[in-house]
Amino acid sequence: MAEKTEDETGTGTTTVTTVDPGGQTAVAPGAQTAADPDAQTAERPEEAAAKEQRPEQAEPSSGTGQGAAAVVSVALGVVSLTGGWPGTVAGARETLVGQLRTAADASVATQIQEVYGDAWNTTALWAGLFALVALVTGVVVLVRPAFGAPGRAVRAPWVPSVAWAGVALGVIGLLLAVLKYTGVLLGLPSAS
């Protein structure tokens, strides 16, 4: 007569064995034995389900560089509107050069142009340069996700807003610089 026994192993599985009177041991179909190497390394059903629920994804970038570039764009836009230190120094230098080049007997129109007009144009050029860099930096921040890896286009929601502010300040600064340089905005007084 055959005898059935159940043994619990250390891995939490139950092995059902049947011992017949002939001394042979049979393992029930589908049962695991301790000698079975696949049974030792098999995953539990809970672990397999957890792996299916969390697929491996590419880790998104933090967007720190884009955020910093957006802030730099705004700062350059503000500098373009206020003139900034380089524009002020370049304008003062051009005033000094104009005073040195202008002869004492030069006409009033020539003196105004050499001493003040050239300095005004130099300041406008520096403001336009800062505005152009602010505009380009803001546009690069805005279009950057279109050229990156699709899974890595994660960035903070404030970054596009700040980049748009930098673009707007760059456009305004560039427009004002062109108007100042051409004399439409605060042109030089006439000599007559």
Side-chain angles (χ1 to χ4, degrees):
M1 175 167 174
E3 208 178 293
K4 288 185 180 180
T5 61
E6 292 184 11
D7 296 329
E8 283 198 29
T9 63
T11 60
T13 60
T14 304
T15 304
V16 179
T17 58
T18 306
V19 180
D20 68 15
Q24 294 181 351
T25 304
V27 177
Q32 298 174 351
T33 62
D36 187 7
D38 291 334
Q40 296 290 334
T41 59
E43 292 181 347
R44 293 182 182 163
E46 303 89 34
E47 291 175 356
K51 281 189 177 178
E52 288 177 10
Q53 289 177 355
R54 53 185 162 102
E56 293 183 25
Q57 298 175 352
E59 189 171 319
S61 66
S62 64
T64 305
Q66 292 181 22
V71 171
V72 166
S73 174
V74 169
L76 289 171
V78 169
V79 168
S80 75
L81 294 177
T82 60
W85 179 79
T88 303
V89 170
R93 181 183 183 282
E94 196 61 38
T95 298
L96 180 61
V97 169
Q99 289 173 348
L100 293 173
R101 284 187 191 164
T102 306
D105 59 348
S107 68
V108 175
T110 304
Q111 289 179 4
I112 289 174
Q113 180 59 39
E114 288 294 323
V115 176
Y116 300 108
D118 291 345
W120 183 250
N121 290 343
T122 302
T123 304
L125 283 175
W126 276 95
L129 178 68
F130 279 109
L132 184 63
V133 173
L135 178 65
V136 169
T137 304
V139 168
V140 166
V141 170
L142 289 173
V143 300
R144 170 64 179 99
F147 298 105
R152 299 183 63 89
V154 177
R155 63 180 176 185
W158 60 269
V159 172
S161 299
V162 174
W164 275 114
V167 168
L169 288 172
V171 167
I172 292 169
L174 199 56
L175 179 66
L176 289 176
V178 168
L179 291 176
K180 284 192 302 187
Y181 189 82
T182 58
V184 174
L185 179 67
L186 300 172
L188 291 174
S190 64
S192 54

